[in-house]
Amino acid sequence: MRLSERFYSNVFILPALIYLLIMVGYPMFENLRLSLYNVDVMNIAGTPSFIGLSNYRALLHDDIFWKSTYNTLIYTVLCIVLQFIIGFVLALLFSQKFSLAERLRGLVMISWLMPITVTGLMFKFMFSLNGGILNEILMSLHLVHQPVEWLVNPSNSMWAVIIANTWIGVPFNMILITTGLTTIPKDVYESASIDGANAMDKFFRITLPLLKPAITSLLVLGFIYTFKVFDLIVIMTNGGPVNATEMMSTFSYKLSFVEYKFSEGATVANVLFIILFLVSLGYLKLVSKEEVM
Amino acid sequence: MKKALTSVLMSSVLLASAVGCSSTSSEQQSAAGTAAPAASSKSEATPAASKEKKQLKLWFYFEGKERFDKIASLTQGYSKVDSSVEVVPEFIPFAEFKKRLSVGLAAQDLPDIVVIDNPDHAAYAAMGLFADITDKIKDWPDKDQFYEGPWKSATLNGKVYGIPLGSNNLALFYNKAMLDSAGVKPPQTWDELRDAAKKLSKGDIKGLGFSGLGNEEGTFQFLPWLLGAGATFDKVDSPQGVKAYSYLADLIKDQSVSKEVLNWTQADVMKQFAAGKIAMMVNGPWQIPELKTNAPDLQYGVALLPKGEKYASVLGGENLGVVNGKNVDDAVKFIKYVASPDVIKPFAQSFGYFPSRKDVATDKYWTEDPVLKVFNEEMQYAQPRGPHPKWPEISNALSSALQQTLTLSKTPEEAAKEAQTKINEVLK
């Protein structure tokens, strides 16, 4: 009886397992295989040869690969820090009881709901050199004398895309922290007040520690979402100018579908995958630890 | 036991539905590919007739119903000439097009005829997508009528892989009122152009605009400068090549060209010109109808691109490629039909193309209109991109160097040298 019960449960897992194998496992395996061959425009229909880890080795000497890795990391870290801080402040603000709090919180969600293509185009217009609204405002406030070269200067364009993505990601952070805040029982704060804790004490000794599980999952999920950025970059800068905003995802895409170096593109995608895989593993470990507690 | 059986059944049903989903989704995709409404209605309308006819598939990426109908007029016209074959046009969005071709090649799921952007022709011929039709058109007298540039773009290593469908190129548009008020004549040489652009720039308004994107579009716009300086794409770090880059950097330094060109598509350039934000622009004839919509009252003229060492322009346009497969002979017949003067003339006119054939180009439609005749004349200076099977990589090197120059983040010498290193890597 025990055995057949186990048999049943396995059978019920089977469909999901097979689905995963076909839809997730196969592409992953194929991508790995592709990265060990030298498939490009000349031999895709013929017989590509196995070249082992040469693609990975070549990548180590590729300036643009390092640049894109560096860019992706900088972009991810700065976006997450900004989104998290602003999202946290907004969550605290809207958890106060004032009229319209609920409605305003709903309105803030708009930037998360908007298609990224639309947001990207909008920011592209706002950041444009002449006639972009941001430059117009800065100029009329006399904060700058020359229009800022947001998207056309390699040293500014990273900031432009970070600002745009922060705007997109703030509501996500806000809503998860808001949810976390509602799980903290009110009586904890009440008894703290009785013990004479001030607002600062309450925040650092109650709110933050009790929010820890929410915050860790938020940061890890945020990392994964941000690290694989693609559409926003393609719309706003397409990795430019001069690779200043080239990300691993856009670099991989360009190798595969602009230059037709399919294997090299797959190699970059695999490195991207490995990084995200490690982060996810860490996340799962964290989550399981919390659950045990 | 019965229970076990049911659950196995259950799971296999689930499984089948999952697999079923994946296969239908690919079918749906191809149905969505023929998004132009006329596509589906047409193929539904003729199932009975097409039963005995051999069907050939034609892939193209021109958007909109109007353009679809024009392509369909070619295929319908052909079925009147040859009743044994039906050519079915299928729309694939441009962004998907190259991916579909590459994937289709690996999966052996390909059309019979492809309308392809001319710089890509050589790359796909090298991949083995296109059939070598050199022998099949050996005795076709019309083949000598084609301009050299377009014809060359459909070849690789002296072998013919298709026929040019239609061409276009780049020329210089100028705003008549702005030139008049600045007392400037349409420039004819690089020196005159630089001078004119400087005089025409005032604050927000810039003298000249072009697209400096870091992709194929940027390369397309950059090539006339490179060729005009007397360089070629395989000798970018020659003094001539460096001159092309430094000339454009000078225009930026003069503030005659906005740095914003780094992010302008050619359509953006046209909009800036229509809005009177730039006095001159480098652009193609396909912008003429758009320009009319955006600025109906704008008085503009078109001139040959100013001469550096020599006159030069870049060749745009599409070719018809015959896909390697079992229908090559029928496909060749079809593309010969399309390229024949009586068919291609009205098609090119309605499509905003310039004829790739000399005999058609002498038609008054292209020789008398003050704007069209300039593009028609420019045709003889228009050079194809490449042709080289690895053109996309070369193009990438050229446009990166262009961006480095226009952002002034590298000197023209450094940028050209870096591009040359990458290009040598490709050419070796």
Side-chain angles (χ1 to χ4, degrees), chain B residues 287-302:
Chain B
Q287 303 289 10
I288 295 169
E290 295 287 319
L291 203 50
K292 203 166 207 167
T293 326
N294 276 278
D297 302 324
L298 180 71
Q299 294 290 315
Y300 66 89
V302 177

Side-chain angles (χ1 to χ4, degrees), chain B residues 244-321:
Chain B
Y245 282 113
S246 59
Y247 183 77
L248 296 180
D250 287 343
L251 289 174
I252 296 269
K253 285 182 202 152
D254 289 351
Q255 307 224 339
S256 310
V257 170
S258 164
K259 264 196 184 179
E260 199 93 2
V261 297
L262 283 163
N263 285 327
W264 282 352
T265 63
Q266 296 179 101
D268 293 335
V269 175
M270 180 274 298
K271 284 188 188 120
Q272 296 287 327
F273 184 74
K277 293 277 185 189
I278 49 178
M280 299 180 285
M281 68 166 176
V282 179
N283 227 324
W286 62 91
Q287 303 289 10
I288 295 169
E290 295 287 319
L291 203 50
K292 203 166 207 167
T293 326
N294 276 278
D297 302 324
L298 180 71
Q299 294 290 315
Y300 66 89
V302 177
L304 291 181
L305 286 178
K307 185 179 173 184
E309 286 301 309
K310 56 181 184 181
Y311 282 113
S313 184
V314 64
L315 180 74
E318 278 78 23
N319 296 335
L320 288 165

Side-chain angles (χ1 to χ4, degrees), chain A residues 37-57:
Chain A
Y37 282 77
N38 66 342
V39 182
D40 67 6
V41 60
M42 307 298 282
N43 59 21
I44 184 170
T47 45
S49 44
F50 182 81
I51 54 166
L53 292 174
S54 297
N55 282 327
Y56 292 89
R57 248 175 266 134

